[in-house]
Amino acid sequence: TFTVTTAGSADVEYMIVAGGGGGGEWAGGGGGAGGYRVATDLSVVAQEYTITVGAGGAGSGAGYPASSTPTSGADSSIAGSGLTTITSTGGGFGGGQAPVFDGDDGGSGGGANNHYGSAAGSGNTPSTDPSQGNDGGLGRNAVPYLGAGGGGAGAVGQTVTSEMSTAGTAGAGGVGVSNDILVTGSGVYYAGGGGGGEVLGTGGAGGNGGGGAGGTNVIGEDGDDGFGGGGGAAGATTTSSNTQKGGGDGGNGIVVIRYKFQ
């Protein structure tokens, strides 16, 4: 919580990125990116602001069945005197294979696992205008077993196509959105989705904007803190041994308020 006192008027802009969702396991889905919201004017210059920065969700535990299921990211928000609280929704966790569960809804949705009939998480939930993010992708239940990418602020998570299945590459996380609110002209991206995991293939790339890569016979990568990236899903060494690795954690979010004094 902080207070700002000015002698004149000021324009205020903000960026709010929630925590990214954790990645699934055993060719699971990548975690969805934290919800992304930005505006060039808060309309009301509050006397006091209260900032909440959402933490990233936990990735799934190792093992088959998994020792724990992943969790979604936490919300980030700005509240203040005279303001309606502005909230970005945490990213949805990626789907898993053992036990089978779907990707979760969130600012961006978690990707589906490799199991037939598994659903991806929906982005932008609860619905807001403008949009906070995108849906996760869909996976494939055949050798090589491949999970889908989690949604990003700039694009849906990648669905595993027949061509990708032949090459044995899991779905990439959806890309984030470029924003220069911290460093002008830097081209920094925020809120990228996590990559899908694999069995006997290659993990999906993390989305530009802090998304963790999916595991290739290893644990999924964590999303980057301060970017709200989704965690990468885990890979596995075989379909029968108990050597499945855990999913990556989602990255913590970020909240920025910038004043332009007159």
mmCIF file of all heavy atoms in Angstrom, residues 53-115:
data_model
loop_
_atom_site.group_PDB
_atom_site.id
_atom_site.type_symbol
_atom_site.label_atom_id
_atom_site.label_comp_id
_atom_site.label_asym_id
_atom_site.label_seq_id
_atom_site.Cartn_x
_atom_site.Cartn_y
_atom_site.Cartn_z
ATOM 1 N N VAL A 53 -0.073 -8.635 -5.826
ATOM 2 C CA VAL A 53 0.617 -9.338 -6.911
ATOM 3 C C VAL A 53 0.417 -10.844 -6.726
ATOM 4 O O VAL A 53 0.800 -11.399 -5.696
ATOM 5 C CB VAL A 53 2.122 -8.999 -6.939
ATOM 6 C CG1 VAL A 53 2.820 -9.770 -8.057
ATOM 7 C CG2 VAL A 53 2.321 -7.507 -7.128
ATOM 8 N N GLY A 54 -0.168 -11.487 -7.714
ATOM 9 C CA GLY A 54 -0.485 -12.909 -7.611
ATOM 10 C C GLY A 54 0.723 -13.801 -7.804
ATOM 11 O O GLY A 54 1.556 -13.568 -8.683
ATOM 12 N N ALA A 55 0.825 -14.829 -6.979
ATOM 13 C CA ALA A 55 1.892 -15.814 -7.106
ATOM 14 C C ALA A 55 1.541 -16.844 -8.176
ATOM 15 O O ALA A 55 0.370 -17.101 -8.464
ATOM 16 C CB ALA A 55 2.119 -16.526 -5.778
ATOM 17 N N GLY A 56 2.577 -17.445 -8.765
ATOM 18 C CA GLY A 56 2.358 -18.507 -9.733
ATOM 19 C C GLY A 56 1.854 -19.772 -9.069
ATOM 20 O O GLY A 56 2.120 -20.034 -7.895
ATOM 21 N N GLY A 57 1.107 -20.574 -9.814
ATOM 22 C CA GLY A 57 0.607 -21.846 -9.301
ATOM 23 C C GLY A 57 1.691 -22.904 -9.266
ATOM 24 O O GLY A 57 2.712 -22.804 -9.956
ATOM 25 N N ALA A 58 1.476 -23.924 -8.468
ATOM 26 C CA ALA A 58 2.439 -25.023 -8.348
ATOM 27 C C ALA A 58 2.268 -26.008 -9.502
ATOM 28 O O ALA A 58 1.148 -26.307 -9.924
ATOM 29 C CB ALA A 58 2.252 -25.746 -7.026
ATOM 30 N N GLY A 59 3.393 -26.521 -10.010
ATOM 31 C CA GLY A 59 3.339 -27.580 -11.001
ATOM 32 C C GLY A 59 2.992 -28.912 -10.352
ATOM 33 O O GLY A 59 3.065 -29.076 -9.131
ATOM 34 N N SER A 60 2.582 -29.877 -11.162
ATOM 35 C CA SER A 60 2.229 -31.192 -10.635
ATOM 36 C C SER A 60 3.453 -31.879 -10.046
ATOM 37 O O SER A 60 4.585 -31.639 -10.456
ATOM 38 C CB SER A 60 1.639 -32.067 -11.735
ATOM 39 O OG SER A 60 2.629 -32.374 -12.692
ATOM 40 N N GLY A 61 3.212 -32.764 -9.082
ATOM 41 C CA GLY A 61 4.289 -33.548 -8.512
ATOM 42 C C GLY A 61 4.699 -34.685 -9.427
ATOM 43 O O GLY A 61 3.971 -35.072 -10.347
ATOM 44 N N ALA A 62 5.884 -35.236 -9.189
ATOM 45 C CA ALA A 62 6.393 -36.337 -10.003
ATOM 46 C C ALA A 62 5.689 -37.641 -9.671
ATOM 47 O O ALA A 62 4.993 -37.767 -8.672
ATOM 48 C CB ALA A 62 7.900 -36.484 -9.785
ATOM 49 N N GLY A 63 5.889 -38.635 -10.546
ATOM 50 C CA GLY A 63 5.347 -39.964 -10.302
ATOM 51 C C GLY A 63 4.194 -40.300 -11.211
ATOM 52 O O GLY A 63 3.684 -39.463 -11.952
ATOM 53 N N TYR A 64 3.775 -41.566 -11.157
ATOM 54 C CA TYR A 64 2.638 -42.024 -11.956
ATOM 55 C C TYR A 64 1.847 -43.029 -11.114
ATOM 56 O O TYR A 64 2.293 -44.158 -10.927
ATOM 57 C CB TYR A 64 3.124 -42.703 -13.241
ATOM 58 C CG TYR A 64 2.007 -43.012 -14.217
ATOM 59 C CD1 TYR A 64 1.572 -42.067 -15.114
ATOM 60 C CD2 TYR A 64 1.393 -44.277 -14.219
ATOM 61 C CE1 TYR A 64 0.554 -42.353 -16.009
ATOM 62 C CE2 TYR A 64 0.370 -44.556 -15.111
ATOM 63 C CZ TYR A 64 -0.034 -43.595 -16.002
ATOM 64 O OH TYR A 64 -1.045 -43.871 -16.884
ATOM 65 N N PRO A 65 0.707 -42.641 -10.511
ATOM 66 C CA PRO A 65 0.067 -41.334 -10.593
ATOM 67 C C PRO A 65 0.905 -40.222 -9.970
ATOM 68 O O PRO A 65 1.792 -40.487 -9.167
ATOM 69 C CB PRO A 65 -1.234 -41.536 -9.816
ATOM 70 C CG PRO A 65 -1.428 -43.007 -9.748
ATOM 71 C CD PRO A 65 -0.043 -43.605 -9.706
ATOM 72 N N ALA A 66 0.570 -38.993 -10.336
ATOM 73 C CA ALA A 66 1.321 -37.849 -9.835
ATOM 74 C C ALA A 66 1.168 -37.736 -8.330
ATOM 75 O O ALA A 66 0.108 -38.021 -7.761
ATOM 76 C CB ALA A 66 0.816 -36.571 -10.504
ATOM 77 N N SER A 67 2.247 -37.312 -7.673
ATOM 78 C CA SER A 67 2.211 -37.156 -6.219
ATOM 79 C C SER A 67 1.361 -35.977 -5.785
ATOM 80 O O SER A 67 0.939 -35.904 -4.631
ATOM 81 C CB SER A 67 3.640 -36.999 -5.682
ATOM 82 O OG SER A 67 4.288 -35.906 -6.304
ATOM 83 N N SER A 68 1.094 -35.039 -6.687
ATOM 84 C CA SER A 68 0.199 -33.913 -6.400
ATOM 85 C C SER A 68 -0.279 -33.337 -7.718
ATOM 86 O O SER A 68 0.381 -33.485 -8.754
ATOM 87 C CB SER A 68 0.911 -32.838 -5.577
ATOM 88 O OG SER A 68 1.994 -32.283 -6.306
ATOM 89 N N THR A 69 -1.419 -32.699 -7.699
ATOM 90 C CA THR A 69 -1.948 -32.071 -8.904
ATOM 91 C C THR A 69 -1.549 -30.598 -8.935
ATOM 92 O O THR A 69 -1.312 -29.986 -7.885
ATOM 93 C CB THR A 69 -3.478 -32.190 -8.957
ATOM 94 O OG1 THR A 69 -4.030 -31.655 -7.746
ATOM 95 C CG2 THR A 69 -3.900 -33.645 -9.096
ATOM 96 N N PRO A 70 -1.449 -30.015 -10.133
ATOM 97 C CA PRO A 70 -1.037 -28.608 -10.218
ATOM 98 C C PRO A 70 -2.133 -27.673 -9.722
ATOM 99 O O PRO A 70 -3.290 -28.073 -9.535
ATOM 100 C CB PRO A 70 -0.781 -28.417 -11.716
ATOM 101 C CG PRO A 70 -1.667 -29.419 -12.380
ATOM 102 C CD PRO A 70 -1.706 -30.602 -11.456
ATOM 103 N N THR A 71 -1.761 -26.421 -9.524
ATOM 104 C CA THR A 71 -2.721 -25.398 -9.094
ATOM 105 C C THR A 71 -2.649 -24.199 -10.034
ATOM 106 O O THR A 71 -1.627 -23.967 -10.698
ATOM 107 C CB THR A 71 -2.450 -24.943 -7.657
ATOM 108 O OG1 THR A 71 -1.126 -24.385 -7.579
ATOM 109 C CG2 THR A 71 -2.569 -26.102 -6.682
ATOM 110 N N SER A 72 -3.716 -23.445 -10.062
ATOM 111 C CA SER A 72 -3.767 -22.240 -10.893
ATOM 112 C C SER A 72 -3.056 -21.085 -10.205
ATOM 113 O O SER A 72 -2.839 -21.086 -8.985
ATOM 114 C CB SER A 72 -5.220 -21.857 -11.173
ATOM 115 O OG SER A 72 -5.852 -22.834 -11.976
ATOM 116 N N GLY A 73 -2.683 -20.075 -10.986
ATOM 117 C CA GLY A 73 -2.054 -18.889 -10.435
ATOM 118 C C GLY A 73 -3.047 -18.032 -9.663
ATOM 119 O O GLY A 73 -4.264 -18.146 -9.822
ATOM 120 N N ALA A 74 -2.519 -17.149 -8.830
ATOM 121 C CA ALA A 74 -3.348 -16.250 -8.024
ATOM 122 C C ALA A 74 -3.570 -14.933 -8.757
ATOM 123 O O ALA A 74 -2.778 -14.517 -9.611
ATOM 124 C CB ALA A 74 -2.680 -16.002 -6.674
ATOM 125 N N ASP A 75 -4.666 -14.260 -8.410
ATOM 126 C CA ASP A 75 -5.035 -12.997 -9.045
ATOM 127 C C ASP A 75 -4.101 -11.859 -8.630
ATOM 128 O O ASP A 75 -3.536 -11.853 -7.525
ATOM 129 C CB ASP A 75 -6.457 -12.594 -8.649
ATOM 130 C CG ASP A 75 -7.510 -13.581 -9.120
ATOM 131 O OD1 ASP A 75 -7.182 -14.481 -9.918
ATOM 132 O OD2 ASP A 75 -8.675 -13.435 -8.679
ATOM 133 N N SER A 76 -3.948 -10.865 -9.511
ATOM 134 C CA SER A 76 -3.289 -9.600 -9.198
ATOM 135 C C SER A 76 -4.308 -8.483 -9.330
ATOM 136 O O SER A 76 -5.243 -8.577 -10.138
ATOM 137 C CB SER A 76 -2.116 -9.326 -10.160
ATOM 138 O OG SER A 76 -1.072 -10.249 -9.993
ATOM 139 N N SER A 77 -4.136 -7.406 -8.541
ATOM 140 C CA SER A 77 -5.161 -6.362 -8.559
ATOM 141 C C SER A 77 -4.606 -5.018 -8.106
ATOM 142 O O SER A 77 -3.564 -4.931 -7.460
ATOM 143 C CB SER A 77 -6.345 -6.748 -7.660
ATOM 144 O OG SER A 77 -5.932 -6.844 -6.308
ATOM 145 N N ILE A 78 -5.361 -3.966 -8.480
ATOM 146 C CA ILE A 78 -5.155 -2.606 -7.988
ATOM 147 C C ILE A 78 -6.467 -2.145 -7.372
ATOM 148 O O ILE A 78 -7.525 -2.219 -8.000
ATOM 149 C CB ILE A 78 -4.773 -1.638 -9.119
ATOM 150 C CG1 ILE A 78 -3.440 -2.034 -9.755
ATOM 151 C CG2 ILE A 78 -4.695 -0.208 -8.601
ATOM 152 C CD1 ILE A 78 -3.080 -1.188 -10.968
ATOM 153 N N ALA A 79 -6.400 -1.672 -6.134
ATOM 154 C CA ALA A 79 -7.553 -1.073 -5.468
ATOM 155 C C ALA A 79 -7.135 0.296 -4.952
ATOM 156 O O ALA A 79 -5.946 0.589 -4.815
ATOM 157 C CB ALA A 79 -8.033 -1.956 -4.312
ATOM 158 N N GLY A 80 -8.100 1.158 -4.682
ATOM 159 C CA GLY A 80 -7.751 2.483 -4.175
ATOM 160 C C GLY A 80 -8.978 3.324 -3.914
ATOM 161 O O GLY A 80 -10.099 2.985 -4.310
ATOM 162 N N SER A 81 -8.754 4.450 -3.225
ATOM 163 C CA SER A 81 -9.852 5.358 -2.908
ATOM 164 C C SER A 81 -10.449 5.917 -4.192
ATOM 165 O O SER A 81 -9.752 6.450 -5.045
ATOM 166 C CB SER A 81 -9.337 6.497 -2.020
ATOM 167 O OG SER A 81 -8.216 7.124 -2.609
ATOM 168 N N GLY A 82 -11.755 5.741 -4.356
ATOM 169 C CA GLY A 82 -12.449 6.226 -5.538
ATOM 170 C C GLY A 82 -12.346 5.334 -6.744
ATOM 171 O O GLY A 82 -12.876 5.664 -7.808
ATOM 172 N N LEU A 83 -11.659 4.190 -6.636
ATOM 173 C CA LEU A 83 -11.491 3.281 -7.763
ATOM 174 C C LEU A 83 -12.342 2.028 -7.590
ATOM 175 O O LEU A 83 -12.512 1.530 -6.481
ATOM 176 C CB LEU A 83 -10.034 2.829 -7.885
ATOM 177 C CG LEU A 83 -8.975 3.841 -8.297
ATOM 178 C CD1 LEU A 83 -7.617 3.166 -8.288
ATOM 179 C CD2 LEU A 83 -9.273 4.404 -9.667
ATOM 180 N N THR A 84 -12.853 1.518 -8.704
ATOM 181 C CA THR A 84 -13.375 0.160 -8.721
ATOM 182 C C THR A 84 -12.181 -0.775 -8.871
ATOM 183 O O THR A 84 -11.340 -0.573 -9.743
ATOM 184 C CB THR A 84 -14.343 -0.049 -9.894
ATOM 185 O OG1 THR A 84 -15.445 0.853 -9.762
ATOM 186 C CG2 THR A 84 -14.859 -1.477 -9.925
ATOM 187 N N THR A 85 -12.078 -1.771 -7.995
ATOM 188 C CA THR A 85 -10.918 -2.666 -8.019
ATOM 189 C C THR A 85 -10.751 -3.293 -9.397
ATOM 190 O O THR A 85 -11.705 -3.789 -9.996
ATOM 191 C CB THR A 85 -11.063 -3.755 -6.951
ATOM 192 O OG1 THR A 85 -11.140 -3.135 -5.664
ATOM 193 C CG2 THR A 85 -9.877 -4.703 -6.967
ATOM 194 N N ILE A 86 -9.525 -3.275 -9.893
ATOM 195 C CA ILE A 86 -9.190 -3.818 -11.214
ATOM 196 C C ILE A 86 -8.399 -5.095 -10.992
ATOM 197 O O ILE A 86 -7.351 -5.073 -10.345
ATOM 198 C CB ILE A 86 -8.354 -2.819 -12.024
ATOM 199 C CG1 ILE A 86 -9.071 -1.465 -12.083
ATOM 200 C CG2 ILE A 86 -8.092 -3.359 -13.433
ATOM 201 C CD1 ILE A 86 -8.172 -0.337 -12.517
ATOM 202 N N THR A 87 -8.891 -6.224 -11.526
ATOM 203 C CA THR A 87 -8.303 -7.529 -11.230
ATOM 204 C C THR A 87 -7.947 -8.275 -12.507
ATOM 205 O O THR A 87 -8.725 -8.307 -13.455
ATOM 206 C CB THR A 87 -9.278 -8.389 -10.404
ATOM 207 O OG1 THR A 87 -9.602 -7.709 -9.199
ATOM 208 C CG2 THR A 87 -8.663 -9.747 -10.073
ATOM 209 N N SER A 88 -6.764 -8.867 -12.514
ATOM 210 C CA SER A 88 -6.386 -9.846 -13.536
ATOM 211 C C SER A 88 -6.453 -11.233 -12.905
ATOM 212 O O SER A 88 -5.973 -11.435 -11.790
ATOM 213 C CB SER A 88 -4.968 -9.578 -14.056
ATOM 214 O OG SER A 88 -4.931 -8.421 -14.860
ATOM 215 N N THR A 89 -7.033 -12.188 -13.629
ATOM 216 C CA THR A 89 -7.275 -13.524 -13.102
ATOM 217 C C THR A 89 -6.065 -14.433 -13.314
ATOM 218 O O THR A 89 -5.441 -14.422 -14.371
ATOM 219 C CB THR A 89 -8.494 -14.145 -13.806
ATOM 220 O OG1 THR A 89 -9.604 -13.253 -13.680
ATOM 221 C CG2 THR A 89 -8.856 -15.483 -13.176
ATOM 222 N N GLY A 90 -5.737 -15.225 -12.297
ATOM 223 C CA GLY A 90 -4.615 -16.153 -12.392
ATOM 224 C C GLY A 90 -4.769 -17.139 -13.532
ATOM 225 O O GLY A 90 -5.888 -17.509 -13.924
ATOM 226 N N GLY A 91 -3.639 -17.577 -14.091
ATOM 227 C CA GLY A 91 -3.657 -18.535 -15.187
ATOM 228 C C GLY A 91 -4.116 -19.916 -14.746
ATOM 229 O O GLY A 91 -3.879 -20.335 -13.614
ATOM 230 N N GLY A 92 -4.778 -20.641 -15.640
ATOM 231 C CA GLY A 92 -5.277 -21.975 -15.332
ATOM 232 C C GLY A 92 -4.164 -23.023 -15.398
ATOM 233 O O GLY A 92 -3.252 -22.922 -16.208
ATOM 234 N N PHE A 93 -4.242 -24.035 -14.530
ATOM 235 C CA PHE A 93 -3.243 -25.103 -14.553
ATOM 236 C C PHE A 93 -3.417 -25.992 -15.783
ATOM 237 O O PHE A 93 -4.502 -26.087 -16.364
ATOM 238 C CB PHE A 93 -3.285 -25.950 -13.281
ATOM 239 C CG PHE A 93 -4.620 -26.583 -12.978
ATOM 240 C CD1 PHE A 93 -5.078 -27.680 -13.680
ATOM 241 C CD2 PHE A 93 -5.416 -26.077 -11.961
ATOM 242 C CE1 PHE A 93 -6.293 -28.278 -13.400
ATOM 243 C CE2 PHE A 93 -6.649 -26.661 -11.662
ATOM 244 C CZ PHE A 93 -7.086 -27.765 -12.384
ATOM 245 N N GLY A 94 -2.324 -26.660 -16.171
ATOM 246 C CA GLY A 94 -2.363 -27.570 -17.309
ATOM 247 C C GLY A 94 -2.963 -28.908 -16.940
ATOM 248 O O GLY A 94 -2.873 -29.365 -15.793
ATOM 249 N N GLY A 95 -3.585 -29.574 -17.906
ATOM 250 C CA GLY A 95 -4.214 -30.869 -17.685
ATOM 251 C C GLY A 95 -3.203 -31.971 -17.424
ATOM 252 O O GLY A 95 -2.032 -31.864 -17.775
ATOM 253 N N GLY A 96 -3.662 -33.052 -16.799
ATOM 254 C CA GLY A 96 -2.784 -34.171 -16.450
ATOM 255 C C GLY A 96 -3.342 -35.502 -16.923
ATOM 256 O O GLY A 96 -4.533 -35.631 -17.235
ATOM 257 N N GLN A 97 -2.472 -36.505 -16.961
ATOM 258 C CA GLN A 97 -2.833 -37.827 -17.461
ATOM 259 C C GLN A 97 -3.102 -38.827 -16.344
ATOM 260 O O GLN A 97 -3.897 -39.746 -16.510
ATOM 261 C CB GLN A 97 -1.700 -38.343 -18.359
ATOM 262 C CG GLN A 97 -1.766 -39.818 -18.722
ATOM 263 C CD GLN A 97 -2.969 -40.174 -19.579
ATOM 264 O OE1 GLN A 97 -3.619 -39.302 -20.142
ATOM 265 N NE2 GLN A 97 -3.285 -41.450 -19.688
ATOM 266 N N ALA A 98 -2.424 -38.689 -15.215
ATOM 267 C CA ALA A 98 -2.574 -39.677 -14.141
ATOM 268 C C ALA A 98 -2.560 -38.964 -12.790
ATOM 269 O O ALA A 98 -1.492 -38.672 -12.274
ATOM 270 C CB ALA A 98 -1.447 -40.711 -14.210
ATOM 271 N N PRO A 99 -3.746 -38.672 -12.230
ATOM 272 C CA PRO A 99 -5.073 -38.956 -12.779
ATOM 273 C C PRO A 99 -5.417 -38.020 -13.935
ATOM 274 O O PRO A 99 -4.801 -36.976 -14.084
ATOM 275 C CB PRO A 99 -5.997 -38.683 -11.588
ATOM 276 C CG PRO A 99 -5.275 -37.637 -10.804
ATOM 277 C CD PRO A 99 -3.814 -37.975 -10.921
ATOM 278 N N VAL A 100 -6.404 -38.413 -14.749
ATOM 279 C CA VAL A 100 -6.796 -37.613 -15.895
ATOM 280 C C VAL A 100 -7.625 -36.421 -15.429
ATOM 281 O O VAL A 100 -8.620 -36.579 -14.719
ATOM 282 C CB VAL A 100 -7.611 -38.455 -16.896
ATOM 283 C CG1 VAL A 100 -8.131 -37.580 -18.027
ATOM 284 C CG2 VAL A 100 -6.756 -39.587 -17.453
ATOM 285 N N PHE A 101 -7.209 -35.230 -15.793
ATOM 286 C CA PHE A 101 -8.015 -34.037 -15.527
ATOM 287 C C PHE A 101 -7.757 -33.025 -16.632
ATOM 288 O O PHE A 101 -6.715 -33.034 -17.293
ATOM 289 C CB PHE A 101 -7.714 -33.437 -14.154
ATOM 290 C CG PHE A 101 -6.262 -33.151 -13.896
ATOM 291 C CD1 PHE A 101 -5.686 -31.941 -14.267
ATOM 292 C CD2 PHE A 101 -5.449 -34.085 -13.276
ATOM 293 C CE1 PHE A 101 -4.356 -31.669 -14.032
ATOM 294 C CE2 PHE A 101 -4.111 -33.830 -13.031
ATOM 295 C CZ PHE A 101 -3.561 -32.617 -13.415
ATOM 296 N N ASP A 102 -8.743 -32.148 -16.848
ATOM 297 C CA ASP A 102 -8.686 -31.151 -17.909
ATOM 298 C C ASP A 102 -7.838 -29.951 -17.486
ATOM 299 O O ASP A 102 -7.570 -29.735 -16.304
ATOM 300 C CB ASP A 102 -10.093 -30.656 -18.248
ATOM 301 C CG ASP A 102 -10.990 -31.752 -18.787
ATOM 302 O OD1 ASP A 102 -10.470 -32.733 -19.351
ATOM 303 O OD2 ASP A 102 -12.225 -31.621 -18.636
ATOM 304 N N GLY A 103 -7.452 -29.148 -18.488
ATOM 305 C CA GLY A 103 -6.848 -27.862 -18.193
ATOM 306 C C GLY A 103 -7.861 -26.957 -17.530
ATOM 307 O O GLY A 103 -9.060 -27.023 -17.807
ATOM 308 N N ASP A 104 -7.390 -26.096 -16.636
ATOM 309 C CA ASP A 104 -8.285 -25.224 -15.876
ATOM 310 C C ASP A 104 -8.475 -23.886 -16.579
ATOM 311 O O ASP A 104 -7.611 -23.428 -17.333
ATOM 312 C CB ASP A 104 -7.703 -24.996 -14.481
ATOM 313 C CG ASP A 104 -8.720 -24.424 -13.509
ATOM 314 O OD1 ASP A 104 -9.922 -24.734 -13.652
ATOM 315 O OD2 ASP A 104 -8.319 -23.672 -12.600
ATOM 316 N N ASP A 105 -9.638 -23.260 -16.316
ATOM 317 C CA ASP A 105 -9.914 -21.923 -16.829
ATOM 318 C C ASP A 105 -9.095 -20.890 -16.057
ATOM 319 O O ASP A 105 -8.675 -21.109 -14.922
ATOM 320 C CB ASP A 105 -11.398 -21.593 -16.680
ATOM 321 C CG ASP A 105 -12.299 -22.544 -17.448
ATOM 322 O OD1 ASP A 105 -11.808 -23.212 -18.377
ATOM 323 O OD2 ASP A 105 -13.493 -22.616 -17.111
ATOM 324 N N GLY A 106 -8.883 -19.719 -16.673
ATOM 325 C CA GLY A 106 -8.141 -18.666 -16.002
ATOM 326 C C GLY A 106 -8.020 -17.443 -16.883
ATOM 327 O O GLY A 106 -8.756 -17.284 -17.859
ATOM 328 N N GLY A 107 -7.090 -16.539 -16.512
ATOM 329 C CA GLY A 107 -6.827 -15.397 -17.378
ATOM 330 C C GLY A 107 -6.484 -15.890 -18.772
ATOM 331 O O GLY A 107 -6.991 -15.407 -19.780
ATOM 332 N N SER A 108 -5.566 -16.884 -18.843
ATOM 333 C CA SER A 108 -5.412 -17.762 -20.010
ATOM 334 C C SER A 108 -5.582 -19.191 -19.527
ATOM 335 O O SER A 108 -5.206 -19.528 -18.397
ATOM 336 C CB SER A 108 -4.043 -17.590 -20.666
ATOM 337 O OG SER A 108 -3.990 -16.429 -21.474
ATOM 338 N N GLY A 109 -6.165 -20.039 -20.363
ATOM 339 C CA GLY A 109 -6.494 -21.396 -19.954
ATOM 340 C C GLY A 109 -5.319 -22.345 -20.070
ATOM 341 O O GLY A 109 -4.435 -22.178 -20.916
ATOM 342 N N GLY A 110 -5.299 -23.366 -19.214
ATOM 343 C CA GLY A 110 -4.287 -24.405 -19.284
ATOM 344 C C GLY A 110 -4.509 -25.327 -20.462
ATOM 345 O O GLY A 110 -5.641 -25.567 -20.893
ATOM 346 N N GLY A 111 -3.421 -25.856 -21.018
ATOM 347 C CA GLY A 111 -3.513 -26.779 -22.131
ATOM 348 C C GLY A 111 -4.058 -28.137 -21.703
ATOM 349 O O GLY A 111 -3.955 -28.529 -20.538
ATOM 350 N N ALA A 112 -4.638 -28.873 -22.644
ATOM 351 C CA ALA A 112 -5.152 -30.211 -22.376
ATOM 352 C C ALA A 112 -4.012 -31.223 -22.355
ATOM 353 O O ALA A 112 -2.969 -31.022 -22.991
ATOM 354 C CB ALA A 112 -6.176 -30.610 -23.436
ATOM 355 N N ASN A 113 -4.217 -32.325 -21.640
ATOM 356 C CA ASN A 113 -3.220 -33.400 -21.649
ATOM 357 C C ASN A 113 -3.355 -34.238 -22.922
ATOM 358 O O ASN A 113 -4.118 -33.906 -23.822
ATOM 359 C CB ASN A 113 -3.353 -34.262 -20.385
ATOM 360 C CG ASN A 113 -4.688 -34.988 -20.326
ATOM 361 O OD1 ASN A 113 -5.060 -35.706 -21.251
ATOM 362 N ND2 ASN A 113 -5.415 -34.816 -19.238
ATOM 363 N N ASN A 114 -2.623 -35.345 -22.987
ATOM 364 C CA ASN A 114 -2.617 -36.171 -24.194
ATOM 365 C C ASN A 114 -3.773 -37.159 -24.274
ATOM 366 O O ASN A 114 -3.848 -37.945 -25.208
ATOM 367 C CB ASN A 114 -1.303 -36.958 -24.268
ATOM 368 C CG ASN A 114 -1.190 -37.979 -23.137
ATOM 369 O OD1 ASN A 114 -1.306 -37.627 -21.964
ATOM 370 N ND2 ASN A 114 -0.959 -39.232 -23.463
ATOM 371 N N HIS A 115 -4.680 -37.140 -23.326
ATOM 372 C CA HIS A 115 -5.746 -38.131 -23.258
ATOM 373 C C HIS A 115 -6.915 -37.732 -24.157
ATOM 374 O O HIS A 115 -7.338 -36.577 -24.160
ATOM 375 C CB HIS A 115 -6.231 -38.258 -21.813
ATOM 376 C CG HIS A 115 -7.060 -39.480 -21.562
ATOM 377 N ND1 HIS A 115 -8.423 -39.483 -21.701
ATOM 378 C CD2 HIS A 115 -6.727 -40.728 -21.162
ATOM 379 C CE1 HIS A 115 -8.895 -40.689 -21.402
ATOM 380 N NE2 HIS A 115 -7.881 -41.454 -21.078
#
